[in-house]
Amino acid sequence: MNLLEVADLSVSFPGPSGRIPAVRNISLSLAPGECLAIVGESGCGKSVIAQAVMRLLPEGTEVLGDMYYHGQNLTHLSESEMKQIRGEEIAMVFQSPERALNPVIKIGRQLIQPQVLHKLCNAKDAELRAKGVLQSLGLDADWVMNAYPWMCSGGMCQRIVFAAVSLLHPYVVIADEPTKGLDAERIGELETMLSSITSSGKTSLLLITHDMEVAAHLADRILVMYCGMIVEEGAAALLLAAPKHPYTRGLLNSLPKNGFVPIPGMSPALTALPDGCVFHPRCPIADEECRKSIPQLRNGVRCHKC
Amino acid sequence: MKFDRRYILPLLLIAVLLIAAVFPGVFAPYEAAERDATYQAPSAEHLLGTDNMGKDIFSLLIYGARWTLIIGFSSGILAIIMGTAIGLLAGWRKGIPDEFLMGTTDIVLILPKIPLVIILAAYLGPSPWVLILVLGLLSWESIARVVRSKVIQIRSSNYILAARCLGFSDAKIMVREILPIVFPVIVPKFVLVTAAAMISEASLAFLGLSDPMMVSWGGMISDAFTYSGFLRGMWYWWLPPALCIILGVLAITSLAFIHERGVREVVQL
Amino acid sequence: MYEKKHLAAIGVILFAIMLVFCSGCIGAAETNQDAVVKIATPNEITEASYFGNYNFAQMTRVTTPPLVQVDENGDYTGALAESWTVSSDGKTWTFTLDSDYQWSDGTPLTAEDVTFSLEYTAEKIATSPAWMKNATISTSGNTIIISLAEPVYRLCGDLVTINIIPKHIWQSIDTPEEYISNGPYVGSSAYYVKSVDINSATLILAANPEWKGEAPYYGTIEIHWFATEDAAISAMLGGECDTYWKYGAAFPTTSVALLEASDKFTAVQTPSLKMSYVGFNTITSEVGRNLAFRKAVGYALNYDELVEISASGYGVSANSGFIPNGVPYYKNTTANTYNVETAKTMLDAAGYKDVNGDGIREDTHGDVLTVTLLTRDKVTGELIKEYLEKVGLNVDYKFTSDINAWVEVKEAHAYDIAYNTITAKGMMMDSGWATGYFADNTVGTGKLQNVDDPAFLELCAKISTTPEGDNLKSLISELQDYYAGQVPGIALYWCTDVTPINTEIDGWYISKATGIYNEINLLSIHPAD
Amino acid sequence: MNKAVSRKIIRYSVCLLIVVLLVFFLPRCMPGDPVQCLVGEDVYVTQEILDTLTIKLGLDKPLYEQFGIYIRGLLTGDLGYSYTRHQTVADLIWSRVPWTLLLTGVAMIIGYAFGILAGTWSGWMSETKRSKVLTAFGVVVSCIPPYLLGLIFFSVFVYQLGWFPYKGFYETPDLFSVAYHMALPILTLALFVFVRNLIIMRGSVLTEKNQLYPQFAKSLGIPRNKIIYGHVLKNAILPIVTHFAIDFGFILSGALFIEIIFSLNGLGRVMYTAILNLDYPVLSGLFLVIAIMVICANLAADILYGIIDPRVKRGEEE
């Protein structure tokens, strides 16, 4: 059985003139120990999926479709039941870890409190465990526990956030744009940490990123999104070696090692999506059909031409 | 910029008050000094009754707008002039003016304004001008701060640099380029100072530290309190000026609130 | 049971009547230690200082009474003194003490205490009357003989404000004005000050166990002071206090309507010694020195409206002789009349014409005629200003919100016309008959002292050294003619005092000088049946 | 001691110096006789007293020597002498300070506690109707001058309804009586404090709400109340502490007005009586003492800020 199953998820936000669709008819599944990467440009709705699964979206957001965790439908859970799931079952690593930590609370407390609230252990053990994890991440545990986030460097914060998540032993970790704005060295470090999550075979990783290379390094399967829709999905090796959708090809071509060729044009605004295939204005092979009808997802790709 | 509909109500209210202040004679059924029988209840003849001297309360209410608004706006304008000038100078020149601004900030903030006004009014005699001067001269610091930060922010921007390269004088650049940009940030500050001055005027009138010959809303409440308006249950004597003060201050502050979105600033007594 | 109470009440009433006519006679009623009378007042005690705080001094007067007090007709009657005599030359005054008065701590009250009090006041208190410094005071048994260097016939007027205090307490206190104590203060009358608490704004008087006179009904008298007159009145109307009192003032006339609406209180109206007037600066002001101007102003004032608005109708238009009807030696002089046209004509005749036709008169040099009006009463001040403007005067309005600022302008003679009020006590002070308010050789805060005319001052001196009788009568008649003829001031109206009477209490005795807060009243009040 | 705090202390000292200079120069620069200005307008003092006073205060000497005398006096706690009240100003003020501080302190504790809690709630739930109603109420009340608030409360709850006493700190000096007498004045002042903090706190929480850390805390399964009152509040409270500087002065002034209305014999009534009598020594002393209290309160706020927010330098950036 799949650990996490998202079926036909659509999310829309209230806007000044009607609702704005952010995510449309997304389905995905995540097996234990698997790493699934959702790739796409900023604003394609990939982070919305993560927040929808965690039920962190603000009030007023419309969420359609079902999300199952261990066969439990998350959409029907009460807020207090959801509270149990968050952190302990499904946890999330945010981008910019410096901002994810509370600036005026000591790090020690921020690591201990969740463990205690989830009744994993008492405060004393929680402290010992936290120190252990910090040490294993190569940090000076005693100093860090008594420090405030603003005293730490970005890299340290990253490890601390990772420690906070891993201390709860969740079964699903969602990493939301973890590499955004980081330099190569920190990306490498982060990849090591993330890959350690799936190594036990029990925990799955849902990696949300715009960075194809990170996805290539970590993912078992890759899911490419454009304007709130899945345009291509498949096993990582296959998809990277032989991308079918012109957008996926474009993304791969824009990587530095492939010659830095950008996709022409810009992503359209969610309020003004083009008719037909949403990618057609930027697509080199688009024709009349692409302009008129929306392609269906067939054999892991959403394209009239494939 | 699109006109925000929420501005309509407060602006309308302020417009009504302003018109009343400028042309009281048009709206007031009686002259401010005109007298009739004393302590009348509201009637068709006297909409809000008459006070202890037989003056028409409704007319006094209209005449009262003038001093209340003069004190409020004059303090506001004074604070604006001081604040903008110092802020521009500090942001533009850095150095000593800047040091001075940052150094005086805490001092000006801390000085307890109401007791200061009271001691000055006691020594110099009750006068609206003392009030205007003190409130105006002690409320500039927050204006100077926002102006300064705004100026620092834009002084390195391209078009200012371009203007400097073209050889425009500092003064010209300030007036032509920078003032229009800092204007939106000082407007809310201006109205907050104005509102605070209106509240202070009313408070001082209550202590008997306002000019007795000056009809103001604070003075009317004070009169109602002194000449047993409260005891006689003459709510139509003290409540309308109280409401006028509250609504006036509310209208003026809500302009600032709407402007600033986040309701962060508070009216400062 | 009912009858018993009834009888007791009749007894108390009888006693009260007896007491009114002969103070000091012995009755049979007993003090009810649990009974309390609560008096509301706007007079705030800011310090518990017997000599330092003016209001406290007024409120403690009933516990340490002076030798004499003022009765309901405005005449002097004995307090600590049972009787007194004055020698025909006015230089020797002999007082005999009433043996009912004893100090509440058990110490006997002796003539020695009186001597001490007079000397102590003369020495320690800056505002004490001048004659005290040169007086020789001797005692013999329970009589006190005051020998004066100069004859003083109106001595009682000063004595009513000099409290007789226990020597054994005060002799060790060197700076009485700075002495602060929350009590108890040893007293000599039917009550003594048990405590004063400025935090709870309460003064408590308790029955004096040593008092030898007729026992008062109420064991405790509480005085509660409030921020404003209104708060005091509403506390009274709300049942928190039984009656209202303010030093030197009757019930505020603006609130009398409320008394009439209440079923617990009735308003008793009595003609008052109080009055209000405008005075002219006849010493340094150019217009003030001009008799024609002063007379013209007399016609410019709307007397009826002043009574209506500034006294809320509780007053009577005055006459030019100034002294209220009801005061001994009253003389019926010409009544004040309001006539704008006459006023204008008289001003024209006096040389103050509106030459340039702008509606404002010019003085003899051709400059705008500006009259400085000094007032500390907002309402009356504004009315007078309006009247003066109506006859073409340019008014420089000097409003001072408090007495001290008013005094400053007055002392500097920086006014032409000033509005002022005369209190009941003030009417009797100095040479009496309101002279103290005019004569510039008197001391005191609330008086204008705006006349230095030697003729007037001589008249005052004569009055003060003339014993009662026909001589005095003719002098006072002359005084009233002076007021009417020379117009140093214009009487606006004579006040009518309103006193709220709690219908649940009987035996009210209203003194002309101090209202209901007087020794006689405290002894005579008792619950109504 | 770190640099920021020492800098603040220097500024506060300058502020105090300005206040002292003001109090020193005002009577001496007024037209007319400085002795009279120092004694108060027209109290009856003999020429003899005036002469000794002139010598004591050194009014016949140059200004700098007078200032020396004045400062020496201040350092020994001499605030002058009130000839209208026959008391030293210091005694007069110190005997009333505890009561005013009691009124102000209790009202501030109530107002701050409830204002912070309600403001946090209102900011977090800013979209709900109840929060909007509360905010509107807060804005309206904050536009009412405190003395008017006092007058309205006095008129309604004392005059009309008779629920509370008319005057005084107590009837009998016991806790119950004091509580009964102080209840309405404290509530009035507390309401004034409450709405100010409600508004500041709401705005502050609105800003903090959009930060990442509450989201992260939520994603770790921390319950909502713990996030709001444990995490967000601690950050959002900082502007309240910053505002304390201005607020304390206003609240204290508000307390003075409320004392006048409710016949409470605290500093407010001392001030009111001094205004009526133009008792300059008392007014000057009062101004000095209030300024010192405000400065002390600010110093306390700075220290508090350092405790709540370990990044004290953030206060410098603001």
Side-chain angles (χ1 to χ4, degrees):
Chain A
M1 198 177 78
N2 281 325
L3 203 51
L4 184 71
E5 184 108 35
V6 173
D8 210 22
L9 177 75
S10 295
V11 179
S12 59
F13 296 108
S17 45
R19 304 198 74 84
I20 302 160
V23 163
R24 288 185 287 174
N25 307 93
I26 297 269
S27 297
L28 58 84
S29 62
L30 194 59
E34 185 189 29
C35 173
L36 171 68
I38 302 178
V39 185
E41 287 168 297
S42 317
C44 73
K46 52 192 191 303
S47 294
V48 176
I49 298 175
Q51 290 179 6
V53 171
M54 297 291 286
R55 296 224 342 232
L56 292 177
L57 290 166
E59 267 176 56
T61 317
E62 189 181 67
V63 181
L64 298 172
D66 295 299
M67 295 167 293
Y68 298 95
Y69 171 77
H70 269 308
Q72 210 175 1
N73 194 336
L74 296 179
T75 30
H76 295 158
L77 289 188
S78 71
E79 188 55 36
S80 64
E81 285 168 316
M82 199 60 218
K83 194 175 74 193
Q84 296 301 317
I85 302 274
R86 286 190 201 117
E88 199 173 342
E89 307 288 336
I90 310 174
M92 197 161 165
V93 177
F94 286 83
Q95 57 173 301
S96 52
E98 299 94 323
R99 288 178 45 229
L101 293 169
N102 194 326
V104 297
I105 296 178
K106 280 187 181 166
I107 290 165
R109 211 176 108 72
Q110 297 194 51
L111 292 179
I112 294 165
Q113 192 192 27
Q115 299 182 57
V116 174
L117 287 173
H118 281 290
K119 300 199 174 75
L120 295 178
C121 51
N122 64 29
K124 203 153 205 166
D125 292 343
E127 189 180 342
L128 290 175
R129 291 183 64 207
K131 281 187 181 169
V133 171
L134 289 174
Q135 224 127 35
S136 72
L137 290 166
L139 293 169
D140 176 355
D142 288 316
W143 182 84
V144 171
M145 290 292 276
N146 279 312
Y148 291 95
W150 52 272
M151 297 159 79
C152 302
S153 69
M156 288 164 84
C157 287
Q158 188 171 295
R159 290 183 218 185
I160 293 160
V161 167
F162 186 75
V165 168
S166 58
L167 273 169
L168 300 177
H169 294 309
Y171 291 98
V172 176
V173 174
I174 302 173
D176 187 6
E177 296 273 21
T179 60
K180 200 171 188 177
L182 298 188
D183 57 32
E185 194 188 329
R186 274 182 64 190
I187 290 176
E189 192 184 298
L190 189 75
E191 281 176 6
T192 323
M193 283 197 292
L194 290 176
S195 63
S196 71
I197 291 173
T198 50
S199 59
S200 68
K202 276 195 227 153
T203 308
S204 316
L205 175 66
L206 182 63
L207 176 67
I208 292 167
T209 181
H210 65 286
D211 188 335
M212 261 306 193
E213 265 182 278
V214 175
H217 291 157
L218 293 174
D220 300 312
R221 282 191 301 128
I222 292 179
L223 203 147
V224 183
M225 276 184 76
Y226 184 72
C227 286
M229 285 197 269
I230 297 173
V231 293
E232 186 170 0
E233 64 176 321
L238 213 65
L239 186 136
L240 292 168
K244 292 177 193 159
H245 198 280
Y247 178 64
T248 316
R249 283 206 295 274
L251 280 180
L252 286 167
N253 285 338
S254 65
L255 289 177
K257 68 173 182 190
N258 294 341
F260 231 145
V261 184
I263 307 170
M266 305 273 281
S267 296
L270 288 173
T271 45
L273 291 176
D275 292 333
C277 175
V278 283
F279 189 61
H280 83 258
R282 302 171 75 184
C283 182
I285 55 166
D287 63 8
E288 203 52 37
E289 189 191 9
C290 298
R291 285 184 195 99
K292 281 183 181 151
S293 72
I294 301 171
Q296 294 303 306
L297 194 64
R298 276 167 305 163
N299 301 327
V301 65
R302 193 188 286 270
C303 182
H304 292 299
K305 301 286 148 201
C306 307
Chain B
M1 196 181 83
K2 218 183 119 206
F3 185 76
D4 193 322
R5 284 216 312 271
R6 289 175 301 173
Y7 282 122
I8 293 176
L9 199 65
L11 280 179
L12 208 68
L13 204 62
I14 293 168
V16 169
L17 295 183
L18 274 178
I19 292 171
V22 179
F23 310 106
V26 178
F27 304 95
Y30 301 91
E31 285 287 313
E34 225 170 299
R35 287 198 316 273
D36 197 355
T38 57
Y39 293 116
Q40 289 184 52
S43 64
E45 222 170 307
H46 298 284
L47 286 178
L48 294 172
T50 58
D51 71 359
N52 61 314
M53 290 190 73
K55 292 178 180 172
D56 182 59
I57 294 172
F58 181 67
S59 303
L60 289 179
L61 196 64
I62 292 171
Y63 279 96
R66 182 173 282 176
W67 271 114
T68 309
L69 292 184
I70 286 181
I71 289 173
F73 284 112
S74 314
S75 314
I77 290 168
L78 194 61
I80 276 288
I81 293 172
M82 287 276 294
T84 314
I86 295 179
L88 281 178
L89 206 65
W92 192 253
R93 276 288 160 83
K94 300 282 191 76
I96 291 167
D98 199 22
E99 289 285 309
F100 169 76
L101 172 65
M102 297 320 284
T104 44
T105 294
D106 284 335
I107 297 165
V108 173
L109 254 183
I110 292 169
L111 274 182
K113 295 184 184 55
I114 294 286
L116 181 62
V117 175
I118 287 171
I119 188 176
L120 286 176
Y123 269 110
L124 306 173
S127 137
W129 309 115
V130 173
L131 191 61
I132 290 172
L133 275 178
V134 173
L135 290 171
L137 294 182
L138 290 183
S139 309
W140 53 266
E141 67 83 40
S142 65
I143 299 171
R145 270 163 167 247
V146 294
V147 171
R148 171 184 170 271
S149 63
K150 202 83 190 170
V151 170
I152 289 177
Q153 196 186 327
I154 55 177
R155 76 190 292 261
S156 51
S157 65
N158 287 335
Y159 66 97
I160 299 292
L161 283 176
R164 293 182 95 170
C165 290
L166 285 170
F168 284 117
S169 71
D170 281 2
K172 205 160 189 178
I173 294 173
M174 281 206 197
V175 175
R176 281 268 186 86
E177 311 288 345
I178 294 182
L179 262 186
I181 290 167
V182 297
F183 190 69
V185 297
I186 56 181
V187 168
K189 297 283 174 191
F190 166 69
V191 294
L192 285 176
V193 174
T194 304
M198 286 168 62
I199 288 184
S200 303
E201 187 274 328
S203 308
L204 287 183
F206 174 69
L207 291 182
L209 285 176
S210 75
D211 190 337
M213 291 314 283
M214 173 179 104
V215 183
S216 76
W217 294 329
M220 288 175 71
I221 299 170
S222 159
D223 277 356
F225 189 66
T226 318
Y227 299 106
S228 66
F230 279 83
L231 188 61
R232 285 167 167 252
M234 292 171 70
W235 55 268
Y236 43 83
W237 188 359
W238 60 271
L239 196 59
L243 281 179
C244 279
I245 293 176
I246 296 170
L247 283 179
V249 173
L250 195 60
I252 288 175
T253 39
S254 66
L255 284 185
F257 284 161
I258 296 168
H259 191 91
E260 287 202 339
R261 306 282 164 187
V263 190
R264 274 208 150 207
E265 281 290 339
V266 209
V267 46
Q268 304 171 356
L269 166 108
Chain C
M1 188 67 206
Y2 175 82
E3 271 185 1
K4 218 173 168 182
K5 254 182 164 178
H6 202 77
L7 281 174
I10 291 173
V12 172
I13 294 168
L14 278 176
F15 154 69
I17 294 166
M18 270 157 60
L19 198 79
V20 169
F21 291 102
C22 70
S23 64
C25 54
I26 312 293
E30 248 181 51
T31 302
N32 182 346
Q33 292 299 340
D34 297 330
V36 182
V37 159
K38 294 180 179 176
I39 302 173
T41 178
N43 290 138
E44 187 188 10
I45 295 179
T46 50
E47 279 84 29
S49 171
Y50 187 96
F51 282 98
N53 187 273
Y54 188 73
N55 288 331
F56 190 47
Q58 303 308 327
M59 289 186 206
T60 51
R61 181 149 299 147
V62 293
T63 67
T64 45
L67 287 169
V68 290
Q69 60 183 325
V70 177
D71 71 3
E72 86 261 49
N73 299 317
D75 290 334
Y76 296 111
T77 177
L80 205 61
E82 196 172 39
S83 60
W84 68 91
T85 55
V86 56
S87 64
S88 56
D89 64 355
K91 286 185 176 179
T92 309
W93 290 71
T94 311
F95 294 86
T96 310
L97 289 183
D98 184 333
S99 59
D100 287 349
Y101 292 83
Q102 297 300 325
W103 297 122
S104 55
D105 62 353
T107 316
L109 189 154
T110 63
E112 203 45 38
D113 286 308
V114 179
T115 315
F116 168 77
S117 300
L118 296 177
E119 286 169 356
Y120 192 71
T121 309
E123 183 193 344
K124 308 278 185 187
I125 309 301
T127 49
S128 54
W131 57 260
M132 287 178 69
K133 307 241 193 280
N134 307 319
T136 320
I137 304 164
S138 58
T139 62
S140 132
N142 68 339
T143 59
I144 298 105
I145 301 130
I146 302 174
S147 308
L148 301 160
E150 297 290 326
V152 179
Y153 288 100
R154 307 286 93 73
L155 191 73
C156 289
D158 289 330
L159 286 178
V160 292
T161 63
I162 298 168
N163 297 1
I164 305 305
I165 49 174
K167 182 182 180 186
H168 60 285
I169 304 284
W170 290 95
Q171 62 186 353
S172 60
I173 296 164
D174 203 40
T175 48
E177 289 178 328
E178 292 183 14
Y179 176 74
I180 286 176
S181 161
N182 287 337
Y185 286 82
V186 171
S188 62
S189 76
Y191 293 95
Y192 68 97
V193 175
K194 191 176 167 200
S195 68
V196 54
D197 188 340
I198 58 173
N199 289 328
S200 69
T202 320
L203 172 75
I204 296 175
L205 309 184
N208 177 1
E210 305 296 326
W211 167 248
K212 298 288 185 287
E214 178 50 38
Y217 177 81
Y218 292 97
T220 304
I221 309 277
E222 288 182 15
I223 295 162
H224 296 266
W225 61 91
F226 296 84
T228 59
E229 284 177 352
D230 279 14
I233 292 166
S234 97
M236 181 188 88
L237 293 175
E240 263 188 39
C241 290
D242 302 305
T243 183
Y244 170 95
W245 171 78
K246 183 182 177 184
Y247 172 71
F251 195 74
T253 50
T254 50
S255 302
V256 174
L258 293 164
L259 278 184
E260 277 151 7
S262 146
D263 46 8
K264 201 174 153 192
F265 295 94
T266 51
V268 173
Q269 296 189 21
T270 40
S272 169
L273 290 184
K274 271 188 319 173
M275 60 185 300
S276 75
Y277 74 106
V278 288
F280 297 94
N281 173 5
T282 64
I283 298 172
T284 61
S285 154
E286 199 188 315
V287 285
R289 290 156 69 114
N290 187 332
L291 178 61
F293 176 84
R294 301 203 292 265
K295 282 192 166 162
V297 169
Y299 285 96
L301 306 171
N302 185 342
Y303 302 97
D304 290 342
E305 195 179 61
L306 281 164
V307 169
E308 200 49 49
I309 292 180
S310 64
S312 300
Y314 294 91
V316 185
S317 299
N319 67 21
S320 54
F322 216 90
I323 297 167
N325 194 348
V327 174
Y329 309 118
Y330 164 77
K331 182 174 182 181
N332 193 6
T333 51
T334 43
N336 288 327
T337 43
Y338 168 58
N339 190 328
V340 175
E341 287 316 311
T342 314
K344 284 182 175 168
T345 321
M346 287 174 77
L347 283 170
D348 285 341
Y352 302 115
K353 285 193 178 132
D354 178 15
V355 181
N356 58 11
D358 61 353
I360 297 168
R361 293 171 189 278
E362 283 85 38
D363 64 14
T364 42
H365 312 293
D367 299 328
V368 172
L369 181 59
T370 302
V371 178
T372 307
L373 172 65
L374 171 65
T375 172
R376 62 175 192 274
D377 182 301
K378 202 180 148 195
V379 171
T380 318
E382 222 177 303
L383 292 174
I384 296 170
K385 172 176 181 279
E386 196 186 303
Y387 301 145
L388 296 179
E389 282 170 347
K390 236 181 220 167
V391 294
L393 298 171
N394 181 35
V395 178
D396 174 16
Y397 188 60
K398 263 195 191 154
F399 173 83
T400 55
S401 51
D402 67 292
I403 174 116
N404 291 321
W406 184 89
V407 168
E408 191 205 14
V409 179
K410 182 256 304 189
E411 296 276 281
H413 296 294
Y415 67 95
D416 298 309
I417 304 177
Y419 167 76
N420 197 19
T421 53
I422 294 177
T423 64
K425 199 182 91 190
M427 185 63 82
M428 326 283 292
M429 264 169 15
D430 300 303
S431 304
W433 293 275
T435 50
Y437 283 83
F438 294 100
D440 84 331
N441 57 2
T442 61
V443 284
T445 46
K447 310 169 189 169
L448 268 182
Q449 297 140 342
N450 57 330
V451 181
D452 61 355
D453 179 0
F456 179 75
L457 298 181
E458 200 188 325
L459 185 58
C460 292
K462 264 195 218 154
I463 290 172
S464 66
T465 52
T466 305
E468 310 216 342
D470 287 344
N471 256 349
L472 184 63
K473 190 175 179 183
S474 76
L475 283 173
I476 303 230
S477 164
E478 201 182 311
L479 174 74
Q480 295 186 67
D481 289 335
Y482 182 90
Y483 287 144
Q486 294 301 309
V487 202
I490 301 163
L492 298 179
Y493 53 83
W494 294 317
C495 296
T496 304
D497 274 348
V498 177
T499 309
I501 295 297
N502 188 327
T503 50
E504 288 163 11
I505 297 175
D506 268 351
W508 294 98
Y509 178 91
I510 304 161
S511 144
K512 268 249 152 74
T514 56
I516 54 123
Y517 193 60
N518 64 74
E519 218 196 315
I520 302 169
N521 187 46
L522 294 187
L523 284 172
S524 68
I525 48 172
H526 56 87
D529 192 50
Chain D
M1 192 179 290
N2 66 37
K3 206 179 147 206
V5 173
S6 56
R7 229 165 118 180
K8 285 264 183 195
I9 288 176
I10 291 173
R11 284 181 194 175
Y12 292 156
S13 317
V14 174
C15 184
L16 188 62
L17 183 69
I18 290 176
V19 170
V20 169
L21 284 176
L22 201 75
V23 169
F24 174 76
F25 277 110
L26 254 182
R28 287 169 175 86
C29 293
M30 291 295 292
D33 185 4
V35 192
Q36 205 64 59
C37 283
L38 282 163
V39 166
E41 256 169 49
D42 237 293
V43 278
Y44 281 91
V45 284
T46 56
Q47 192 56 41
E48 191 185 337
I49 292 178
L50 287 182
D51 292 343
T52 38
L53 201 68
T54 307
I55 292 163
K56 192 186 159 219
L57 298 175
L59 292 172
D60 46 352
K61 296 189 181 123
L63 268 182
Y64 65 89
E65 276 183 48
Q66 290 182 34
F67 191 65
I69 295 170
Y70 177 68
I71 291 291
R72 268 196 295 281
L74 276 190
L75 290 178
T76 54
D78 177 10
L79 292 174
Y81 187 86
S82 165
Y83 287 92
T84 38
R85 301 187 68 157
H86 306 287
Q87 253 180 311
T88 66
V89 176
D91 285 349
L92 178 62
I93 290 176
W94 292 130
S95 67
R96 300 291 102 202
V97 159
W99 288 108
T100 299
L101 283 188
L102 178 69
L103 168 65
T104 319
V106 177
M108 278 175 80
I109 290 169
I110 296 174
Y112 267 88
F114 284 92
I116 288 169
L117 291 180
T120 311
W121 173 81
S122 163
W124 194 261
M125 308 292 229
S126 60
E127 294 306 314
T128 63
K129 196 153 196 172
R130 270 194 264 175
S131 160
K132 283 179 181 166
V133 170
L134 182 69
T135 312
F137 166 79
V139 173
V140 171
V141 174
S142 73
C143 289
I144 306 179
Y147 89 93
L148 192 53
L149 205 62
L151 271 184
I152 292 170
F153 274 38
F154 189 69
S155 157
V156 173
F157 295 112
V158 180
Y159 267 8
Q160 309 294 337
L161 298 174
W163 291 355
F164 292 94
Y166 283 89
K167 52 125 182 146
F169 288 116
Y170 53 74
E171 187 94 34
T172 48
D174 57 72
L175 195 65
F176 176 77
S177 185
V178 171
Y180 175 56
H181 280 71
M182 298 281 277
L184 193 59
I186 285 180
L187 279 180
T188 314
L189 190 60
L191 181 65
F192 173 65
V193 180
F194 169 79
V195 294
R196 289 175 80 88
N197 287 300
L198 170 77
I199 293 170
I200 302 173
M201 199 62 193
R202 181 177 182 275
S204 177
V205 167
L206 275 176
T207 322
E208 292 296 327
K209 197 163 83 163
N210 296 323
Q211 302 279 323
L212 199 58
Y213 70 86
Q215 286 275 30
F216 181 60
K218 196 174 178 188
S219 84
L220 287 176
I222 294 173
R224 197 182 69 181
N225 279 345
K226 281 230 156 64
I227 298 177
I228 302 177
Y229 296 109
H231 288 238
V232 172
L233 189 138
K234 222 178 159 189
N235 281 283
I237 213 165
L238 293 174
I240 295 258
V241 182
T242 318
H243 260 90
F244 188 82
I246 317 170
D247 266 25
F248 186 75
F250 288 133
I251 293 168
L252 202 60
S253 314
L256 301 186
F257 282 98
I258 283 168
E259 280 180 5
I260 294 168
I261 289 162
F262 288 95
S263 301
L264 301 177
N265 200 351
L267 285 185
R269 285 211 73 87
V270 169
M271 180 183 79
Y272 190 57
T273 319
I275 291 172
L276 289 184
N277 295 319
L278 289 180
D279 192 346
Y280 294 138
V282 172
L283 281 177
S284 303
L286 209 53
F287 179 59
L288 202 63
V289 168
I290 288 175
I292 291 172
M293 290 207 296
V294 170
I295 288 173
C296 290
N298 276 282
L299 210 57
D302 288 333
I303 293 165
L304 187 70
Y305 199 101
I307 293 168
I308 299 178
D309 186 359
R311 307 156 297 170
V312 181
K313 60 176 198 236
R314 191 165 138 174
E316 289 292 283
E317 290 161 15
E318 277 284 308

